[in-house]
Amino acid sequence: MKLLENSKLETISLLMCRDTGDCRLIGRVESYSCKMTAADKKFYGHFLHLTSCEEGSGNMGNQNQDLHALSTPQTFVGSPLAGSPIFGPNSIPTVFVRTISGSSHHSVECGAQLCDTISNKTLFYLISTLNESFSPDYDFSDAKSDEFSREPGLKWVKDSIHSNMSAVLGDEFAVLEASLWKNADEEIKLGDCEIYSYNPDLNSDPYGEEGTLWSFNYFFYNKKMKRILFLTCRAISNRVMTSTNEDFETDLMDLDDTGLTSCNSIVTPTLHTISKAASLMAPP
């Protein structure tokens, strides 16, 4: 996996790092090539060995060892259908059409539900993306398929992100939101993507620290382009002092009169320059 340079995505990433007074917003959007390096190929061989050992113990109960069960997406659980009078307060609708990642017309029973599945290679890409994005602080090499989900669709994801971000940024998110999806589409062609999320338990979650109000980790995978767009963000209450305070304050350094400045080749916004930054990203 290789991080692809994109100045517009870098600017958006830094506009996602905000201190609103009540909480801190820390996010980024990054583009990765799925072409394997020598190190990736070595890790992939190790990954296949581990998964084959797990499947040998009858993990999923199906004969196709290239497929792994995914968990139910959080956006689907939080939808108007979930918890409705029709499906019950704690139920998950099973009538939703499920598709298979990296395969076709195959499903796996998980209890009373049909679960999405993911191929070895796609799962490897997601784990490798996490490793690259969070390196060297975290290692996701032991992540399992049930820590990931395939999202129902782009609109579901957009609505979920809008709900979280606008709750923190208010009307300011409207400008950032338009720039985010415009530049994301130019980078990855969103309509051609499979969308996944990473939803680990608290012990594995890099955002599992005390004070985290919410977080999301989305992968937009374009198989034809062999590329993944990774979008991650968290909101942390300012009432809880953690080591993240120091990390965030390090990013908020001397700003010039444009509201944007370079800090270790990264652009950092002030609290009042979203519209100006968005205009800088717009085509002439």
Side-chain angles (χ1 to χ4, degrees):
M1 306 293 289
K2 179 182 179 181
L3 177 64
L4 303 175
E5 293 185 6
N6 185 311
S7 60
K8 293 181 179 181
L9 295 184
E10 289 176 1
T11 301
I12 292 172
S13 294
L14 291 151
L15 291 172
M16 292 173 66
C17 294
R18 307 287 300 282
D19 190 331
T20 66
D22 293 328
C23 70
R24 283 158 293 134
L25 197 66
I26 304 175
R28 62 185 180 274
V29 55
E30 300 169 327
S31 181
Y32 290 91
S33 169
C34 294
K35 294 181 180 178
M36 292 190 191
T37 63
D40 289 331
K41 292 177 181 179
K42 183 177 180 180
F43 175 39
Y44 186 54
H46 176 67
F47 170 81
L48 290 178
H49 174 72
L50 290 179
T51 53
S52 64
C53 291
E54 291 173 359
E55 295 299 338
S57 63
N59 181 26
M60 274 175 46
N62 78 83
Q63 66 275 19
N64 193 335
Q65 295 186 5
D66 182 55
L67 296 176
H68 309 271
L70 296 165
S71 64
T72 303
Q74 289 187 337
T75 50
F76 194 48
V77 174
S79 73
L81 292 178
S84 69
I86 297 176
F87 295 105
N90 299 311
S91 63
I92 304 297
T94 57
V95 295
F96 189 84
V97 177
R98 315 301 285 166
T99 55
I100 305 305
S101 312
S103 183
S104 60
H105 302 98
H106 185 83
S107 62
V108 175
E109 288 194 19
C110 299
Q113 301 180 51
L114 287 178
C115 298
D116 274 327
T117 61
I118 190 170
S119 69
N120 276 330
K121 182 159 287 189
T122 303
L123 178 59
F124 171 78
Y125 287 153
L126 302 187
I127 293 174
S128 295
T129 299
L130 287 173
N131 280 337
E132 286 294 321
S133 185
F134 288 94
S135 176
D137 299 319
Y138 297 93
D139 185 355
F140 300 87
S141 301
D142 294 330
K144 307 304 180 186
S145 63
D146 60 6
E147 297 176 53
F148 297 88
S149 306
R150 180 166 179 179
E151 296 299 321
L154 180 59
K155 186 180 185 304
W156 295 73
V157 172
K158 283 185 174 182
D159 288 347
S160 178
I161 292 174
H162 177 87
S163 178
N164 285 329
M165 299 288 284
S166 60
V168 175
L169 297 179
D171 293 339
E172 288 184 343
F173 180 59
V175 178
L176 175 58
E177 183 177 31
S179 296
L180 167 63
W181 295 121
K182 174 182 179 295
N183 287 283
D185 189 53
E186 291 177 357
E187 178 69 12
I188 199 76
K189 298 188 184 304
L190 294 171
D192 297 333
C193 290
E194 298 171 357
I195 308 175
Y196 301 90
S197 60
Y198 177 59
N199 307 298
D201 58 33
L202 288 178
N203 292 329
S204 304
D205 192 351
Y207 295 158
E209 65 188 89
E210 184 180 1
T212 298
L213 303 174
W214 52 258
S215 65
F216 59 73
N217 302 278
Y218 290 111
F219 309 80
F220 300 83
Y221 174 43
N222 189 314
K223 189 174 183 180
K224 293 181 180 179
M225 296 178 68
K226 295 183 177 180
R227 184 177 297 181
I228 286 178
L229 189 78
F230 181 51
L231 176 59
T232 181
C233 192
R234 59 177 162 165
I236 307 172
S237 172
N238 274 335
R239 296 182 179 182
V240 179
M241 299 297 292
T242 68
S243 60
T244 308
N245 291 71
E246 298 178 359
D247 297 336
F248 185 78
E249 289 171 1
T250 299
D251 288 337
L252 297 178
M253 300 182 67
D254 298 332
L255 303 176
D256 61 20
D257 57 3
T258 66
L260 298 172
T261 188
S262 178
C263 175
N264 296 325
S265 299
I266 297 178
V267 178
T268 305
T270 64
L271 301 182
H272 305 288
T273 56
I274 287 184
S275 295
K276 179 175 286 189
S279 66
L280 294 176
M281 291 185 289

